[in-house]
Amino acid sequence: MSESVTILPAGRIPAIRHERIFFTIRMVKYVLCWLMLWQEGMVGGSLLQIRTYIMFPNYITTVEIAGALLFLTMLIEHSLTRDFTVRRSYFSGPLILIALSFFISWCLGSFMKQHVAFILEFHEAFELPFFFLLISQAFRDEQDREALWKILFFAIIAKACDGTYIYFFSTRPERYWGVVQSWRDGYLLGIGCIGFLLLLQYHGKALKQVKWWMLATSPILALTFVMSFRRTFFVGTFLCMMVMFFTLPRDKRKLHFVLVVCLILGFLLTVLLTNPIEFATRLTGIVAPENEGSAYIRLMELPNVLENIRRNPIFGVPVGTTWTAYYRMPRSAVYTTLGTHNAYLYWPLRAGIAGAIAFVWLVCKFWKTALINYRLRRSEEDFLVGQWGIQILVMYQIACFFGLMYGDMM
């Protein structure tokens, strides 16, 4: 029996190996970005969390470690391509201004305390410009555009599975306050519900597998979202669904109405099967905050924050120091003197005029980009990501009135 042997042209084997190396590096970047989007949380006991198996120092998060590994992977990729150029981002201006304003505020805080130290707030808004620019440099090829949306969908699925595991198997007492509690997590679940609605109106092929994955895991998403008790994102999700009656094309609005009704009925059924009394108690705190501690404390926090901004209008209350409680705050209440539950007030509070301008500038650029991308849509995929991009911003803007949308790995 004779054997046939295929002889490759000279240089073919190295070319194939080179291509495989780049494919592997690209997959590593995707996995690290995926982990950055959903790892960590305020409720322990989940086997899906890396920190369950590997102990990190308390002052370093899994997200930050994944970000550092992503940076190293990007350096390896650029070394192989010999391309060390740093491409300018459309968002560089406001991001640089954010970094500069917070650095100045931190320097003032260090001078006031006569002590230079690593600060807790570095994990919050301080890291925003660095991670944003890291992602924009690591995923700058055209083929990354669609991949990043897929990564976001699968990060939502992972967080939903994480919360469901905590609900059934975690013995931590804090889970009764919500199976997931980080603002980032509530935001992921909220935009996941909106993305699910849009996928039901999607008829393309490129994201067909994502659509089926979201359909298959929708009960898990519903359970985790309901048992998270994240009221801010319940309200945000409902308002996004209402806004979609105006942003969706006319021929899709009738189906959207049917889908919204079915989704609300599905959530109500999930509530009845889980913990309807606790859900009702937490939800009524929206309209009657005096009956629910965490809602009431935000009303009491507001005049203090406004007074601190009034007394420190230029540079804000320096980073690394706490704001002053000019009006009485109950000692038993859980509130933060390093920030505020209103993201619009956080920037002038901690970074003064420059921080406020930078935040407004950044959000305006977000909106301009989202609206232009949707206006120039050509395919079903463009429709999906364009609409989802708009609703992601609507959800963010609504949540900024009530939450720390600059912290908790946001």
Side-chain angles (χ1 to χ4, degrees), residues 64-94:
E64 291 165 343
I65 292 174
L69 292 175
L70 177 60
F71 178 73
L72 292 176
T73 305
M74 182 182 68
L75 289 181
I76 294 172
E77 182 183 41
H78 289 188
S79 297
L80 293 174
T81 59
R82 300 184 183 277
D83 179 11
F84 293 98
T85 58
V86 178
R87 298 185 185 178
R88 181 176 176 272
S89 169
Y90 178 67
F91 306 99
S92 296

Side-chain angles (χ1 to χ4, degrees), residues 233-410:
F233 301 102
F234 294 157
V235 174
T237 300
F238 178 76
L239 292 179
C240 280
M241 292 189 295
M242 297 302 103
V243 170
M244 287 170 67
F245 282 109
F246 300 95
T247 61
L248 285 173
R250 291 182 180 275
D251 59 329
K252 294 181 180 291
R253 292 176 187 175
K254 185 178 294 185
L255 176 58
H256 176 65
F257 176 77
V258 175
L259 294 175
V260 167
V261 172
C262 292
L263 188 67
I264 292 176
L265 291 176
F267 278 130
L268 290 176
L269 178 62
T270 305
V271 170
L272 293 174
L273 294 175
T274 51
N275 195 339
I277 296 177
E278 181 63 24
F279 183 86
T281 302
R282 296 296 302 279
L283 204 62
T284 53
I286 298 174
V287 294
E290 68 277 5
N291 297 327
E292 205 279 326
S294 64
Y296 187 55
I297 197 62
R298 298 179 195 187
L299 292 178
M300 301 181 69
E301 176 189 276
L302 185 59
N304 279 298
V305 170
L306 291 173
E307 183 63 18
N308 276 271
I309 293 174
R310 188 186 72 81
R311 298 193 182 204
N312 303 274
I314 300 177
F315 296 108
V317 178
V319 169
T321 65
T322 59
W323 52 258
T324 305
Y326 294 104
Y327 306 100
R328 187 183 69 85
M329 299 287 287
R331 291 188 177 183
S332 61
V334 179
Y335 64 95
T336 174
T337 55
L338 294 175
T340 171
H341 285 83
N342 186 313
Y344 295 109
L345 297 179
Y346 175 79
W347 305 92
L349 174 69
R350 298 308 259 174
I353 296 174
I357 292 173
F359 177 68
V360 173
W361 187 10
L362 182 64
V363 170
C364 288
K365 280 182 171 285
F366 283 160
W367 273 109
K368 181 179 179 181
T369 305
L371 293 174
I372 289 177
N373 279 328
Y374 184 65
R375 180 70 177 83
L376 300 177
R377 66 189 184 281
R378 295 181 179 178
S379 62
E380 278 286 316
E381 289 71 38
D382 289 341
F383 158 75
L384 175 66
V385 299
Q387 272 291 331
W388 202 28
I390 291 172
Q391 299 308 321
I392 281 173
L393 287 175
V394 171
M395 179 83 70
Y396 182 77
Q397 298 266 243
I398 293 169
C400 278
F401 283 106
F402 312 104
L404 285 70
M405 299 302 289
Y406 51 84
D408 286 346
M409 296 153 289
M410 273 299 303

Side-chain angles (χ1 to χ4, degrees), residues 164-293:
T164 299
Y165 183 91
I166 290 172
Y167 176 74
F168 284 110
F169 302 109
S170 177
T171 58
R172 301 294 181 88
E174 60 266 25
R175 75 183 181 89
Y176 295 105
W177 191 250
V179 292
V180 295
Q181 298 176 16
S182 299
W183 294 96
R184 184 276 315 267
D185 296 343
Y187 186 56
L188 275 178
L189 298 173
I191 64 176
C193 293
I194 297 302
F196 175 72
L197 278 178
L198 288 168
L199 279 171
L200 293 176
Q201 300 233 31
Y202 168 75
H203 304 291
K205 296 181 179 179
L207 299 175
K208 189 176 181 179
Q209 288 186 338
V210 175
K211 180 177 180 178
W212 285 113
W213 270 101
M214 289 295 290
L215 282 170
T217 57
S218 57
I220 297 175
L221 176 61
L223 174 62
T224 301
F225 192 33
V226 167
M227 296 310 297
S228 70
F229 300 134
R230 299 298 90 191
R231 294 166 299 187
T232 295
F233 301 102
F234 294 157
V235 174
T237 300
F238 178 76
L239 292 179
C240 280
M241 292 189 295
M242 297 302 103
V243 170
M244 287 170 67
F245 282 109
F246 300 95
T247 61
L248 285 173
R250 291 182 180 275
D251 59 329
K252 294 181 180 291
R253 292 176 187 175
K254 185 178 294 185
L255 176 58
H256 176 65
F257 176 77
V258 175
L259 294 175
V260 167
V261 172
C262 292
L263 188 67
I264 292 176
L265 291 176
F267 278 130
L268 290 176
L269 178 62
T270 305
V271 170
L272 293 174
L273 294 175
T274 51
N275 195 339
I277 296 177
E278 181 63 24
F279 183 86
T281 302
R282 296 296 302 279
L283 204 62
T284 53
I286 298 174
V287 294
E290 68 277 5
N291 297 327
E292 205 279 326

Side-chain angles (χ1 to χ4, degrees), residues 8-57:
L8 294 175
R12 178 61 174 165
I13 294 177
I16 293 175
R17 289 177 179 174
H18 197 65
E19 185 176 323
R20 287 177 178 174
I21 289 172
F22 279 109
F23 176 79
T24 302
I25 291 175
R26 185 176 298 278
M27 290 301 104
V28 170
K29 290 195 303 180
Y30 289 164
V31 171
L32 290 172
C33 181
W34 176 68
L35 291 174
M36 288 174 66
L37 285 170
W38 70 275
Q39 278 289 310
E40 287 287 347
M42 297 174 67
V43 183
S46 172
L47 294 181
L48 300 181
Q49 291 291 333
I50 294 176
R51 194 178 280 274
T52 304
Y53 309 97
I54 304 175
M55 295 300 296
F56 303 128

